[in-house]
Amino acid sequence: MKIVQITLAIITSAMLLSCNQNKEKMENTKQELEAIFPKGELGTKDLFTGNAYFIGLVDADSTFTTAIGNVYFEPGARSNWHSHPAGQILIITDGIGYHQIEGKPIEIIKKGDVIKCPPNVRHWHGASADVGLQQLYIIPNTEKGIVEWKEAVTDEQYSANKKKLR
């Protein structure tokens, strides 16, 4: 009986150790995001803080009146405050980031989340400080306009929001 108990204890210990090692590997490799689309072009410093890359996937036209694209934010990168005349939908495809509608608390966003930004409402979105963020954006009814860019999200605003999340 003691041999069976010792054998079970060894097997259980080995399984727990293996699970912990796999968990550490997953956490360490999560820094690299899985790219679905090409990285695209580096966004300009007057619209983004940090490095954000974008690529258009569906150009706005008079038939579909919808623009779709992909944005990859490196860790710490974020958009300026901005709004969209007809709103915006974000589909988070990888990573961890933040989204904030002006006057509301910041939200953590991650792979699989779908975010609706209401029409003509100021907001910003971007990566967390430690992990990048990849998102698809959908802008409907482009005949109403695409985007109205505003001022940068300051380091203080970004840092204050991070503190609220801990």
Side-chain angles (χ1 to χ4, degrees):
M1 186 69 162
K2 282 196 174 241
I3 293 175
V4 172
Q5 288 176 334
I6 292 170
T7 304
L8 284 173
I10 292 170
I11 291 171
T12 303
S13 297
M15 288 173 55
L16 288 173
L17 182 60
S18 174
C19 288
N20 285 341
Q21 287 174 345
N22 287 341
K23 183 178 176 186
E24 287 175 13
K25 285 180 186 175
M26 286 187 344
E27 288 173 358
N28 290 340
T29 59
K30 187 58 185 164
Q31 300 299 320
E32 286 295 319
L33 303 184
E34 282 189 42
I36 297 173
F37 303 104
K39 198 170 193 178
E41 298 179 33
L42 181 63
T44 60
K45 299 294 179 198
D46 61 323
L47 303 179
F48 298 93
T49 299
N51 291 331
Y53 300 84
F54 67 94
I55 186 166
L57 302 172
V58 175
D59 292 331
D61 62 25
S62 60
T63 302
F64 293 104
T65 65
T66 301
I68 302 172
N70 186 73
V71 181
Y72 166 67
F73 294 93
E74 289 184 356
R78 57 198 178 266
S79 70
N80 282 11
W81 288 99
H82 61 283
S83 63
H84 304 274
Q88 178 185 45
I89 299 168
L90 304 174
I91 301 172
I92 310 307
T93 58
D94 206 358
I96 301 171
Y98 306 134
H99 172 259
Q100 185 175 28
I101 292 176
E102 189 173 42
K104 294 188 176 185
I106 191 170
E107 298 177 58
I108 296 175
I109 55 178
K110 60 190 179 323
K111 183 177 182 176
D113 287 345
V114 177
I115 310 299
K116 292 181 183 177
C117 309
N120 297 310
V121 174
R122 286 169 43 106
H123 65 279
W124 67 270
H125 34 94
S128 70
D130 302 318
V131 179
L133 179 76
Q134 191 162 269
Q135 68 180 30
L136 286 172
Y137 65 81
I138 302 168
I139 301 172
N141 304 313
T142 54
E143 71 278 8
K144 295 180 180 180
I146 306 282
V147 63
E148 295 174 14
W149 289 102
K150 311 293 183 186
E151 74 278 5
V153 174
T154 65
D155 290 340
E156 293 77 25
Q157 290 170 316
Y158 184 77
S159 295
N161 287 324
K162 287 192 316 187
K163 290 175 189 167
K164 290 178 187 175
L165 296 172
R166 291 187 181 163

